[in-house]
Amino acid sequence: VSDAQRKHFINLLSAYAKRKKLEVIAVFDAGPFLFPATEIQKNIVVKYSGPHASADDIIIRYMRECRGQGMILV
């Protein structure tokens, strides 16, 4: 995924989150850093898995930590 594609996707998520009044977390494989990282872009929490884990690993860990809370995984 190119930076431009990622930014476009985040823009779409941001518009959706604003319209629906939702908190959105986007998780990407790897990322621009040599370690897992989290940043806020356009009111979206953006997580990068880093080089030693996958986005799936991050999502599974998050789902376990937040078990019992209302959320939708897409």
Side-chain angles (χ1 to χ4, degrees):
V1 174
S2 72
D3 285 338
Q5 290 170 317
R6 186 177 7 254
K7 286 179 185 179
H8 179 68
F9 182 64
I10 290 168
N11 286 337
L12 292 173
L13 287 175
S14 178
Y16 180 78
K18 186 182 251 186
R19 186 172 55 250
K20 297 291 187 174
K21 296 181 175 132
L22 297 171
E23 177 184 339
V24 174
I25 302 169
V27 184
F28 295 98
D29 285 313
F33 311 106
L34 296 175
F35 48 86
T38 301
E39 59 187 17
I40 305 288
Q41 293 183 26
K42 299 204 174 214
N43 76 318
I44 302 298
V45 176
V46 179
K47 293 181 172 280
Y48 300 100
S49 67
H52 304 294
S54 70
D56 291 344
D57 296 332
I58 303 301
I59 293 166
I60 290 167
R61 186 177 321 127
Y62 182 81
M63 296 293 287
R64 286 182 179 148
E65 290 172 359
C66 297
R67 183 168 289 168
Q69 297 179 22
M71 68 179 79
I72 298 171
L73 173 63
V74 179

Short mmCIF file of all heavy atoms in Angstrom, two decimals:
data_model
loop_
_atom_site.label_atom_id
_atom_site.label_comp_id
_atom_site.label_asym_id
_atom_site.label_seq_id
_atom_site.Cartn_x
_atom_site.Cartn_y
_atom_site.Cartn_z
N VAL A 1 0.85 -1.17 0.00
CA VAL A 1 0.00 0.00 0.00
C VAL A 1 0.90 1.24 0.00
O VAL A 1 1.79 1.36 0.84
CB VAL A 1 -0.92 0.01 1.24
CG1 VAL A 1 -1.71 1.29 1.33
CG2 VAL A 1 -1.83 -1.20 1.24
N SER A 2 0.65 2.13 -0.92
CA SER A 2 1.45 3.35 -0.98
C SER A 2 0.98 4.35 0.08
O SER A 2 -0.13 4.23 0.63
CB SER A 2 1.33 3.99 -2.36
OG SER A 2 0.04 4.57 -2.53
N ASP A 3 1.81 5.34 0.35
CA ASP A 3 1.43 6.39 1.31
C ASP A 3 0.16 7.11 0.85
O ASP A 3 -0.70 7.42 1.66
CB ASP A 3 2.56 7.39 1.49
CG ASP A 3 3.70 6.85 2.33
OD1 ASP A 3 3.47 5.89 3.11
OD2 ASP A 3 4.81 7.38 2.23
N ALA A 4 0.06 7.37 -0.45
CA ALA A 4 -1.11 8.06 -0.99
C ALA A 4 -2.38 7.22 -0.79
O ALA A 4 -3.43 7.75 -0.40
CB ALA A 4 -0.91 8.38 -2.46
N GLN A 5 -2.28 5.92 -1.01
CA GLN A 5 -3.44 5.04 -0.81
C GLN A 5 -3.83 5.00 0.66
O GLN A 5 -5.01 5.04 0.99
CB GLN A 5 -3.12 3.63 -1.30
CG GLN A 5 -3.02 3.52 -2.81
CD GLN A 5 -2.48 2.17 -3.24
OE1 GLN A 5 -1.53 1.65 -2.64
NE2 GLN A 5 -3.07 1.61 -4.28
N ARG A 6 -2.84 4.90 1.54
CA ARG A 6 -3.11 4.87 2.97
C ARG A 6 -3.78 6.17 3.42
O ARG A 6 -4.78 6.15 4.15
CB ARG A 6 -1.82 4.63 3.75
CG ARG A 6 -2.04 4.43 5.22
CD ARG A 6 -0.81 4.11 6.05
NE ARG A 6 0.48 4.17 5.42
CZ ARG A 6 1.20 3.10 5.08
NH1 ARG A 6 0.76 1.89 5.30
NH2 ARG A 6 2.39 3.24 4.52
N LYS A 7 -3.28 7.31 2.95
CA LYS A 7 -3.87 8.61 3.31
C LYS A 7 -5.30 8.73 2.80
O LYS A 7 -6.18 9.23 3.50
CB LYS A 7 -3.01 9.75 2.77
CG LYS A 7 -1.73 9.93 3.54
CD LYS A 7 -0.88 11.05 2.97
CE LYS A 7 0.44 11.11 3.71
NZ LYS A 7 1.33 12.14 3.19
N HIS A 8 -5.54 8.26 1.58
CA HIS A 8 -6.89 8.30 1.02
C HIS A 8 -7.84 7.44 1.86
O HIS A 8 -8.96 7.87 2.17
CB HIS A 8 -6.88 7.83 -0.43
CG HIS A 8 -8.22 7.81 -1.07
ND1 HIS A 8 -8.93 8.96 -1.35
CD2 HIS A 8 -9.01 6.79 -1.46
CE1 HIS A 8 -10.09 8.64 -1.88
NE2 HIS A 8 -10.16 7.32 -1.96
N PHE A 9 -7.40 6.26 2.24
CA PHE A 9 -8.21 5.37 3.06
C PHE A 9 -8.52 6.01 4.41
O PHE A 9 -9.65 5.97 4.89
CB PHE A 9 -7.49 4.02 3.23
CG PHE A 9 -8.26 3.02 4.03
CD1 PHE A 9 -9.47 2.52 3.58
CD2 PHE A 9 -7.76 2.55 5.24
CE1 PHE A 9 -10.19 1.59 4.32
CE2 PHE A 9 -8.46 1.62 5.98
CZ PHE A 9 -9.68 1.13 5.51
N ILE A 10 -7.53 6.62 5.02
CA ILE A 10 -7.73 7.29 6.31
C ILE A 10 -8.70 8.45 6.16
O ILE A 10 -9.55 8.68 7.03
CB ILE A 10 -6.38 7.72 6.91
CG1 ILE A 10 -5.61 6.46 7.35
CG2 ILE A 10 -6.57 8.69 8.08
CD1 ILE A 10 -4.17 6.69 7.71
N ASN A 11 -8.63 9.19 5.06
CA ASN A 11 -9.59 10.27 4.81
C ASN A 11 -11.01 9.72 4.72
O ASN A 11 -11.95 10.32 5.26
CB ASN A 11 -9.24 11.02 3.53
CG ASN A 11 -8.04 11.92 3.69
OD1 ASN A 11 -7.70 12.34 4.79
ND2 ASN A 11 -7.39 12.23 2.58
N LEU A 12 -11.19 8.60 4.03
CA LEU A 12 -12.51 7.98 3.93
C LEU A 12 -13.00 7.52 5.31
O LEU A 12 -14.16 7.74 5.66
CB LEU A 12 -12.47 6.78 2.97
CG LEU A 12 -12.24 7.10 1.49
CD1 LEU A 12 -12.05 5.80 0.70
CD2 LEU A 12 -13.38 7.92 0.93
N LEU A 13 -12.11 6.89 6.07
CA LEU A 13 -12.48 6.45 7.43
C LEU A 13 -12.86 7.64 8.31
O LEU A 13 -13.81 7.57 9.09
CB LEU A 13 -11.34 5.68 8.07
CG LEU A 13 -11.06 4.28 7.57
CD1 LEU A 13 -9.81 3.73 8.25
CD2 LEU A 13 -12.25 3.38 7.80
N SER A 14 -12.13 8.72 8.17
CA SER A 14 -12.39 9.91 8.98
C SER A 14 -13.78 10.48 8.68
O SER A 14 -14.53 10.82 9.61
CB SER A 14 -11.32 10.97 8.71
OG SER A 14 -11.58 12.13 9.45
N ALA A 15 -14.12 10.57 7.42
CA ALA A 15 -15.44 11.08 7.03
C ALA A 15 -16.54 10.15 7.57
O ALA A 15 -17.56 10.62 8.09
CB ALA A 15 -15.53 11.20 5.51
N TYR A 16 -16.32 8.85 7.47
CA TYR A 16 -17.30 7.88 7.97
C TYR A 16 -17.45 7.99 9.50
O TYR A 16 -18.56 8.03 10.01
CB TYR A 16 -16.88 6.47 7.58
CG TYR A 16 -17.82 5.40 8.06
CD1 TYR A 16 -19.02 5.16 7.41
CD2 TYR A 16 -17.52 4.64 9.19
CE1 TYR A 16 -19.90 4.19 7.86
CE2 TYR A 16 -18.40 3.66 9.65
CZ TYR A 16 -19.58 3.45 8.98
OH TYR A 16 -20.45 2.50 9.43
N ALA A 17 -16.33 8.07 10.19
CA ALA A 17 -16.36 8.17 11.66
C ALA A 17 -17.08 9.43 12.11
O ALA A 17 -17.87 9.40 13.06
CB ALA A 17 -14.94 8.15 12.21
N LYS A 18 -16.83 10.53 11.42
CA LYS A 18 -17.48 11.79 11.77
C LYS A 18 -18.98 11.70 11.53
O LYS A 18 -19.78 12.10 12.37
CB LYS A 18 -16.88 12.92 10.94
CG LYS A 18 -17.38 14.29 11.31
CD LYS A 18 -16.78 15.34 10.42
CE LYS A 18 -15.80 16.15 11.20
NZ LYS A 18 -15.26 17.28 10.42
N ARG A 19 -19.38 11.15 10.39
CA ARG A 19 -20.79 11.05 10.05
C ARG A 19 -21.55 10.13 11.02
O ARG A 19 -22.64 10.42 11.45
CB ARG A 19 -20.94 10.54 8.61
CG ARG A 19 -22.36 10.53 8.09
CD ARG A 19 -22.48 10.22 6.60
NE ARG A 19 -21.84 8.99 6.20
CZ ARG A 19 -20.73 8.90 5.47
NH1 ARG A 19 -20.12 9.97 5.05
NH2 ARG A 19 -20.23 7.72 5.15
N LYS A 20 -20.91 9.02 11.41
CA LYS A 20 -21.56 8.03 12.28
C LYS A 20 -21.27 8.26 13.76
O LYS A 20 -21.76 7.53 14.61
CB LYS A 20 -21.11 6.62 11.90
CG LYS A 20 -21.52 6.20 10.51
CD LYS A 20 -23.01 6.02 10.43
CE LYS A 20 -23.43 5.43 9.10
NZ LYS A 20 -24.84 5.12 9.06
N LYS A 21 -20.40 9.23 14.06
CA LYS A 21 -19.99 9.53 15.44
C LYS A 21 -19.38 8.29 16.11
O LYS A 21 -19.79 7.87 17.18
CB LYS A 21 -21.17 10.07 16.24
CG LYS A 21 -21.67 11.38 15.70
CD LYS A 21 -22.81 11.93 16.49
CE LYS A 21 -23.14 13.29 15.92
NZ LYS A 21 -24.50 13.53 15.67
N LEU A 22 -18.38 7.74 15.44
CA LEU A 22 -17.70 6.54 15.91
C LEU A 22 -16.22 6.81 16.15
O LEU A 22 -15.63 7.69 15.55
CB LEU A 22 -17.80 5.42 14.86
CG LEU A 22 -19.19 4.91 14.51
CD1 LEU A 22 -19.10 3.98 13.31
CD2 LEU A 22 -19.79 4.20 15.70
N GLU A 23 -15.64 6.00 17.02
CA GLU A 23 -14.18 5.97 17.17
C GLU A 23 -13.68 4.87 16.24
O GLU A 23 -14.18 3.75 16.27
CB GLU A 23 -13.79 5.64 18.60
CG GLU A 23 -12.29 5.53 18.80
CD GLU A 23 -11.91 5.11 20.21
OE1 GLU A 23 -12.73 5.27 21.12
OE2 GLU A 23 -10.80 4.59 20.36
N VAL A 24 -12.70 5.20 15.40
CA VAL A 24 -12.19 4.24 14.43
C VAL A 24 -10.69 4.05 14.67
O VAL A 24 -9.96 5.01 14.87
CB VAL A 24 -12.45 4.71 12.98
CG1 VAL A 24 -11.78 3.78 11.97
CG2 VAL A 24 -13.94 4.81 12.71
N ILE A 25 -10.28 2.79 14.63
CA ILE A 25 -8.86 2.43 14.74
C ILE A 25 -8.50 1.67 13.46
O ILE A 25 -9.16 0.68 13.12
CB ILE A 25 -8.59 1.55 15.96
CG1 ILE A 25 -9.02 2.26 17.23
CG2 ILE A 25 -7.12 1.14 16.01
CD1 ILE A 25 -9.04 1.37 18.46
N ALA A 26 -7.49 2.13 12.76
CA ALA A 26 -7.01 1.45 11.56
C ALA A 26 -5.65 0.83 11.88
O ALA A 26 -4.79 1.49 12.47
CB ALA A 26 -6.87 2.43 10.40
N VAL A 27 -5.48 -0.43 11.51
CA VAL A 27 -4.22 -1.13 11.80
C VAL A 27 -3.60 -1.58 10.49
O VAL A 27 -4.25 -2.24 9.68
CB VAL A 27 -4.46 -2.35 12.72
CG1 VAL A 27 -3.14 -3.00 13.10
CG2 VAL A 27 -5.24 -1.95 13.96
N PHE A 28 -2.33 -1.23 10.29
CA PHE A 28 -1.61 -1.57 9.07
C PHE A 28 -0.41 -2.46 9.40
O PHE A 28 0.21 -2.32 10.46
CB PHE A 28 -1.09 -0.31 8.38
CG PHE A 28 -2.18 0.59 7.87
CD1 PHE A 28 -2.59 1.69 8.60
CD2 PHE A 28 -2.79 0.32 6.65
CE1 PHE A 28 -3.59 2.52 8.13
CE2 PHE A 28 -3.80 1.15 6.17
CZ PHE A 28 -4.20 2.25 6.91
N ASP A 29 -0.10 -3.36 8.48
CA ASP A 29 1.13 -4.15 8.60
C ASP A 29 2.33 -3.23 8.47
O ASP A 29 2.30 -2.23 7.74
CB ASP A 29 1.20 -5.20 7.49
CG ASP A 29 0.27 -6.37 7.74
OD1 ASP A 29 0.25 -6.88 8.87
OD2 ASP A 29 -0.44 -6.77 6.80
N ALA A 30 3.40 -3.58 9.17
CA ALA A 30 4.71 -2.89 9.11
C ALA A 30 4.56 -1.42 9.45
O ALA A 30 4.33 -1.08 10.60
CB ALA A 30 5.37 -3.11 7.77
N GLY A 31 4.69 -0.54 8.49
CA GLY A 31 4.61 0.90 8.72
C GLY A 31 5.92 1.59 8.46
O GLY A 31 6.91 0.95 8.09
N PRO A 32 5.95 2.88 8.68
CA PRO A 32 7.14 3.67 8.36
C PRO A 32 8.23 3.63 9.43
O PRO A 32 9.25 4.28 9.29
CB PRO A 32 6.58 5.09 8.22
CG PRO A 32 5.40 5.11 9.14
CD PRO A 32 4.82 3.71 9.08
N PHE A 33 8.01 2.87 10.49
CA PHE A 33 8.95 2.83 11.61
C PHE A 33 9.53 1.43 11.78
O PHE A 33 8.98 0.46 11.27
CB PHE A 33 8.24 3.25 12.91
CG PHE A 33 7.45 4.52 12.77
CD1 PHE A 33 6.07 4.48 12.69
CD2 PHE A 33 8.09 5.74 12.70
CE1 PHE A 33 5.33 5.64 12.56
CE2 PHE A 33 7.36 6.91 12.56
CZ PHE A 33 5.97 6.87 12.49
N LEU A 34 10.61 1.31 12.52
CA LEU A 34 11.23 0.02 12.79
C LEU A 34 10.68 -0.62 14.06
O LEU A 34 11.27 -1.54 14.60
CB LEU A 34 12.75 0.17 12.90
CG LEU A 34 13.44 0.62 11.61
CD1 LEU A 34 14.93 0.85 11.86
CD2 LEU A 34 13.22 -0.38 10.50
N PHE A 35 9.54 -0.14 14.51
CA PHE A 35 8.92 -0.63 15.74
C PHE A 35 7.41 -0.38 15.63
O PHE A 35 6.98 0.43 14.81
CB PHE A 35 9.50 0.11 16.95
CG PHE A 35 9.52 1.61 16.78
CD1 PHE A 35 8.41 2.38 17.08
CD2 PHE A 35 10.65 2.24 16.27
CE1 PHE A 35 8.42 3.75 16.90
CE2 PHE A 35 10.66 3.63 16.09
CZ PHE A 35 9.55 4.38 16.40
N PRO A 36 6.61 -1.06 16.45
CA PRO A 36 5.18 -0.78 16.44
C PRO A 36 4.94 0.67 16.86
O PRO A 36 5.64 1.21 17.72
CB PRO A 36 4.61 -1.73 17.49
CG PRO A 36 5.64 -2.79 17.65
CD PRO A 36 6.97 -2.14 17.36
N ALA A 37 3.97 1.31 16.24
CA ALA A 37 3.71 2.72 16.53
C ALA A 37 2.22 3.03 16.41
O ALA A 37 1.49 2.33 15.71
CB ALA A 37 4.51 3.60 15.57
N THR A 38 1.83 4.08 17.10
CA THR A 38 0.46 4.57 17.04
C THR A 38 0.50 6.07 16.85
O THR A 38 1.33 6.76 17.45
CB THR A 38 -0.29 4.25 18.35
OG1 THR A 38 -0.29 2.84 18.56
CG2 THR A 38 -1.73 4.74 18.30
N GLU A 39 -0.38 6.57 15.99
CA GLU A 39 -0.49 8.01 15.79
C GLU A 39 -1.95 8.35 15.48
O GLU A 39 -2.75 7.47 15.21
CB GLU A 39 0.43 8.49 14.66
CG GLU A 39 0.18 7.84 13.32
CD GLU A 39 1.21 8.21 12.27
OE1 GLU A 39 2.29 8.70 12.62
OE2 GLU A 39 0.93 8.00 11.08
N ILE A 40 -2.27 9.62 15.57
CA ILE A 40 -3.61 10.10 15.25
C ILE A 40 -3.53 10.85 13.94
O ILE A 40 -2.69 11.74 13.79
CB ILE A 40 -4.15 11.06 16.34
CG1 ILE A 40 -4.11 10.41 17.72
CG2 ILE A 40 -5.57 11.53 15.98
CD1 ILE A 40 -5.11 9.34 17.96
N GLN A 41 -4.39 10.46 13.00
CA GLN A 41 -4.47 11.16 11.72
C GLN A 41 -5.94 11.43 11.43
O GLN A 41 -6.74 10.50 11.33
CB GLN A 41 -3.90 10.31 10.58
CG GLN A 41 -2.42 10.07 10.65
CD GLN A 41 -1.93 9.29 9.45
OE1 GLN A 41 -2.51 9.33 8.38
NE2 GLN A 41 -0.84 8.56 9.64
N LYS A 42 -6.29 12.70 11.33
CA LYS A 42 -7.66 13.09 10.99
C LYS A 42 -8.69 12.41 11.89
O LYS A 42 -9.65 11.84 11.40
CB LYS A 42 -7.94 12.82 9.53
CG LYS A 42 -7.04 13.60 8.62
CD LYS A 42 -7.66 13.80 7.28
CE LYS A 42 -6.75 14.71 6.50
NZ LYS A 42 -7.46 15.56 5.62
N ASN A 43 -8.49 12.42 13.16
CA ASN A 43 -9.35 11.84 14.21
C ASN A 43 -9.43 10.31 14.15
O ASN A 43 -10.29 9.71 14.79
CB ASN A 43 -10.75 12.48 14.23
CG ASN A 43 -11.69 12.03 13.12
OD1 ASN A 43 -11.30 11.91 11.96
ND2 ASN A 43 -12.96 11.82 13.45
N ILE A 44 -8.54 9.66 13.44
CA ILE A 44 -8.47 8.20 13.37
C ILE A 44 -7.21 7.75 14.10
O ILE A 44 -6.12 8.30 13.87
CB ILE A 44 -8.40 7.71 11.90
CG1 ILE A 44 -9.61 8.19 11.10
CG2 ILE A 44 -8.25 6.21 11.82
CD1 ILE A 44 -10.94 7.69 11.61
N VAL A 45 -7.34 6.75 14.96
CA VAL A 45 -6.17 6.15 15.60
C VAL A 45 -5.56 5.19 14.58
O VAL A 45 -6.22 4.28 14.10
CB VAL A 45 -6.55 5.40 16.89
CG1 VAL A 45 -5.34 4.71 17.48
CG2 VAL A 45 -7.18 6.34 17.90
N VAL A 46 -4.32 5.45 14.21
CA VAL A 46 -3.63 4.62 13.21
C VAL A 46 -2.51 3.87 13.91
O VAL A 46 -1.65 4.46 14.54
CB VAL A 46 -3.06 5.49 12.07
CG1 VAL A 46 -2.34 4.63 11.04
CG2 VAL A 46 -4.17 6.30 11.41
N LYS A 47 -2.57 2.54 13.81
CA LYS A 47 -1.55 1.69 14.42
C LYS A 47 -0.78 0.98 13.31
O LYS A 47 -1.35 0.52 12.34
CB LYS A 47 -2.20 0.65 15.33
CG LYS A 47 -2.87 1.24 16.55
CD LYS A 47 -3.49 0.15 17.43
CE LYS A 47 -3.98 0.72 18.72
NZ LYS A 47 -2.96 0.93 19.70
N TYR A 48 0.54 0.88 13.51
CA TYR A 48 1.42 0.14 12.61
C TYR A 48 2.03 -1.01 13.40
O TYR A 48 2.46 -0.82 14.53
CB TYR A 48 2.53 1.04 12.08
CG TYR A 48 2.03 2.24 11.32
CD1 TYR A 48 1.95 3.48 11.92
CD2 TYR A 48 1.63 2.12 9.99
CE1 TYR A 48 1.49 4.59 11.23
CE2 TYR A 48 1.17 3.22 9.28
CZ TYR A 48 1.10 4.45 9.91
OH TYR A 48 0.64 5.54 9.24
N SER A 49 2.06 -2.18 12.80
CA SER A 49 2.51 -3.38 13.52
C SER A 49 4.01 -3.43 13.74
O SER A 49 4.48 -4.14 14.60
CB SER A 49 2.06 -4.64 12.79
OG SER A 49 2.73 -4.75 11.55
N GLY A 50 4.78 -2.70 12.93
CA GLY A 50 6.24 -2.82 12.97
C GLY A 50 6.67 -4.04 12.18
O GLY A 50 5.84 -4.80 11.67
N PRO A 51 7.97 -4.26 12.06
CA PRO A 51 8.47 -5.33 11.18
C PRO A 51 8.37 -6.74 11.76
O PRO A 51 8.55 -7.71 11.03
CB PRO A 51 9.93 -4.94 10.96
CG PRO A 51 10.29 -4.18 12.20
CD PRO A 51 9.05 -3.44 12.61
N HIS A 52 8.11 -6.89 13.05
CA HIS A 52 8.15 -8.22 13.67
C HIS A 52 6.79 -8.78 14.05
O HIS A 52 6.72 -9.84 14.69
CB HIS A 52 9.06 -8.18 14.90
CG HIS A 52 10.44 -7.70 14.58
ND1 HIS A 52 11.31 -8.40 13.79
CD2 HIS A 52 11.08 -6.56 14.92
CE1 HIS A 52 12.44 -7.71 13.66
NE2 HIS A 52 12.32 -6.60 14.34
N ALA A 53 5.73 -8.11 13.66
CA ALA A 53 4.37 -8.58 13.94
C ALA A 53 3.51 -8.22 12.73
O ALA A 53 3.93 -7.45 11.87
CB ALA A 53 3.82 -7.92 15.20
N SER A 54 2.33 -8.78 12.69
CA SER A 54 1.40 -8.45 11.61
C SER A 54 0.27 -7.59 12.18
O SER A 54 0.06 -7.53 13.40
CB SER A 54 0.83 -9.72 10.99
OG SER A 54 -0.06 -10.35 11.89
N ALA A 55 -0.46 -6.95 11.30
CA ALA A 55 -1.63 -6.20 11.73
C ALA A 55 -2.60 -7.15 12.43
O ALA A 55 -3.23 -6.77 13.43
CB ALA A 55 -2.29 -5.53 10.53
N ASP A 56 -2.72 -8.37 11.94
CA ASP A 56 -3.59 -9.36 12.59
C ASP A 56 -3.19 -9.59 14.04
O ASP A 56 -4.06 -9.70 14.92
CB ASP A 56 -3.57 -10.69 11.83
CG ASP A 56 -4.23 -10.61 10.47
OD1 ASP A 56 -4.97 -9.64 10.21
OD2 ASP A 56 -4.00 -11.53 9.66
N ASP A 57 -1.89 -9.67 14.32
CA ASP A 57 -1.42 -9.84 15.69
C ASP A 57 -1.89 -8.69 16.58
O ASP A 57 -2.33 -8.89 17.71
CB ASP A 57 0.11 -9.92 15.75
CG ASP A 57 0.69 -11.12 15.03
OD1 ASP A 57 -0.01 -12.16 14.94
OD2 ASP A 57 1.83 -11.01 14.54
N ILE A 58 -1.77 -7.47 16.07
CA ILE A 58 -2.17 -6.28 16.82
C ILE A 58 -3.68 -6.30 17.07
O ILE A 58 -4.15 -6.01 18.18
CB ILE A 58 -1.76 -5.00 16.07
CG1 ILE A 58 -0.25 -4.97 15.79
CG2 ILE A 58 -2.22 -3.75 16.81
CD1 ILE A 58 0.63 -5.03 17.01
N ILE A 59 -4.44 -6.65 16.04
CA ILE A 59 -5.90 -6.68 16.16
C ILE A 59 -6.34 -7.74 17.18
O ILE A 59 -7.19 -7.47 18.04
CB ILE A 59 -6.55 -6.94 14.79
CG1 ILE A 59 -6.31 -5.74 13.87
CG2 ILE A 59 -8.04 -7.25 14.93
CD1 ILE A 59 -6.60 -6.00 12.41
N ILE A 60 -5.75 -8.92 17.11
CA ILE A 60 -6.11 -10.00 18.05
C ILE A 60 -5.80 -9.57 19.48
O ILE A 60 -6.62 -9.76 20.39
CB ILE A 60 -5.39 -11.31 17.69
CG1 ILE A 60 -5.97 -11.87 16.38
CG2 ILE A 60 -5.48 -12.33 18.82
CD1 ILE A 60 -5.14 -12.97 15.76
N ARG A 61 -4.65 -8.98 19.70
CA ARG A 61 -4.28 -8.51 21.05
C ARG A 61 -5.28 -7.45 21.53
O ARG A 61 -5.74 -7.50 22.67
CB ARG A 61 -2.86 -7.94 21.05
CG ARG A 61 -2.36 -7.57 22.42
CD ARG A 61 -0.92 -7.08 22.45
NE ARG A 61 -0.05 -7.81 21.55
CZ ARG A 61 0.74 -7.25 20.62
NH1 ARG A 61 0.77 -5.93 20.49
NH2 ARG A 61 1.51 -7.98 19.85
N TYR A 62 -5.63 -6.52 20.67
CA TYR A 62 -6.57 -5.46 21.03
C TYR A 62 -7.94 -6.04 21.36
O TYR A 62 -8.57 -5.65 22.35
CB TYR A 62 -6.68 -4.45 19.89
CG TYR A 62 -7.59 -3.30 20.23
CD1 TYR A 62 -7.13 -2.24 21.00
CD2 TYR A 62 -8.90 -3.27 19.78
CE1 TYR A 62 -7.96 -1.18 21.32
CE2 TYR A 62 -9.74 -2.22 20.10
CZ TYR A 62 -9.27 -1.17 20.87
OH TYR A 62 -10.10 -0.15 21.19
N MET A 63 -8.41 -6.99 20.55
CA MET A 63 -9.72 -7.60 20.78
C MET A 63 -9.74 -8.34 22.13
O MET A 63 -10.73 -8.29 22.84
CB MET A 63 -10.08 -8.55 19.65
CG MET A 63 -10.25 -7.89 18.29
SD MET A 63 -11.65 -6.78 18.19
CE MET A 63 -12.98 -7.95 18.15
N ARG A 64 -8.65 -9.01 22.47
CA ARG A 64 -8.58 -9.70 23.77
C ARG A 64 -8.58 -8.71 24.92
O ARG A 64 -9.24 -8.93 25.94
CB ARG A 64 -7.34 -10.58 23.82
CG ARG A 64 -7.47 -11.82 22.99
CD ARG A 64 -6.27 -12.70 23.10
NE ARG A 64 -6.46 -13.90 22.29
CZ ARG A 64 -5.49 -14.55 21.67
NH1 ARG A 64 -4.23 -14.14 21.79
NH2 ARG A 64 -5.75 -15.62 20.96
N GLU A 65 -7.84 -7.61 24.78
CA GLU A 65 -7.75 -6.62 25.85
C GLU A 65 -9.08 -5.89 26.05
O GLU A 65 -9.38 -5.46 27.17
CB GLU A 65 -6.66 -5.59 25.53
CG GLU A 65 -5.26 -6.14 25.62
CD GLU A 65 -4.20 -5.19 25.11
OE1 GLU A 65 -4.54 -4.06 24.66
OE2 GLU A 65 -3.01 -5.56 25.13
N CYS A 66 -9.86 -5.77 25.02
CA CYS A 66 -11.10 -5.00 25.08
C CYS A 66 -12.35 -5.88 25.06
O CYS A 66 -13.44 -5.41 24.75
CB CYS A 66 -11.15 -4.01 23.92
SG CYS A 66 -9.82 -2.80 24.00
N ARG A 67 -12.16 -7.13 25.36
CA ARG A 67 -13.29 -8.09 25.38
C ARG A 67 -14.42 -7.56 26.25
O ARG A 67 -14.20 -7.01 27.31
CB ARG A 67 -12.81 -9.42 25.93
CG ARG A 67 -13.90 -10.49 25.91
CD ARG A 67 -13.33 -11.82 26.19
NE ARG A 67 -12.56 -12.18 25.00
CZ ARG A 67 -11.70 -13.19 24.92
NH1 ARG A 67 -11.50 -13.95 25.96
NH2 ARG A 67 -11.06 -13.44 23.83
N GLY A 68 -15.64 -7.70 25.74
CA GLY A 68 -16.81 -7.25 26.49
C GLY A 68 -17.23 -5.82 26.17
O GLY A 68 -18.29 -5.39 26.59
N GLN A 69 -16.41 -5.10 25.45
CA GLN A 69 -16.76 -3.74 25.04
C GLN A 69 -17.42 -3.80 23.67
O GLN A 69 -17.07 -4.65 22.85
CB GLN A 69 -15.53 -2.85 24.99
CG GLN A 69 -14.88 -2.68 26.34
CD GLN A 69 -13.64 -1.80 26.26
OE1 GLN A 69 -13.50 -1.00 25.34
NE2 GLN A 69 -12.76 -1.95 27.22
N GLY A 70 -18.35 -2.92 23.41
CA GLY A 70 -19.01 -2.90 22.11
C GLY A 70 -18.06 -2.43 21.03
O GLY A 70 -17.51 -1.35 21.11
N MET A 71 -17.84 -3.28 20.02
CA MET A 71 -16.99 -2.89 18.91
C MET A 71 -17.34 -3.73 17.70
O MET A 71 -17.94 -4.80 17.82
CB MET A 71 -15.51 -3.02 19.25
CG MET A 71 -15.02 -4.44 19.43
SD MET A 71 -13.27 -4.53 19.78
CE MET A 71 -13.25 -4.11 21.50
N ILE A 72 -16.95 -3.24 16.55
CA ILE A 72 -17.13 -3.95 15.29
C ILE A 72 -15.76 -4.05 14.64
O ILE A 72 -15.04 -3.07 14.51
CB ILE A 72 -18.09 -3.19 14.36
CG1 ILE A 72 -19.47 -3.08 15.01
CG2 ILE A 72 -18.18 -3.89 13.01
CD1 ILE A 72 -20.41 -2.15 14.26
N LEU A 73 -15.41 -5.25 14.20
CA LEU A 73 -14.16 -5.47 13.49
C LEU A 73 -14.48 -5.64 12.01
O LEU A 73 -15.30 -6.47 11.64
CB LEU A 73 -13.46 -6.73 14.02
CG LEU A 73 -12.22 -7.19 13.28
CD1 LEU A 73 -11.12 -6.12 13.38
CD2 LEU A 73 -11.74 -8.52 13.83
N VAL A 74 -13.84 -4.81 11.19
CA VAL A 74 -14.07 -4.86 9.75
C VAL A 74 -12.76 -5.15 9.05
O VAL A 74 -11.77 -4.53 9.34
CB VAL A 74 -14.67 -3.55 9.22
CG1 VAL A 74 -14.89 -3.60 7.73
CG2 VAL A 74 -15.96 -3.23 9.94
#
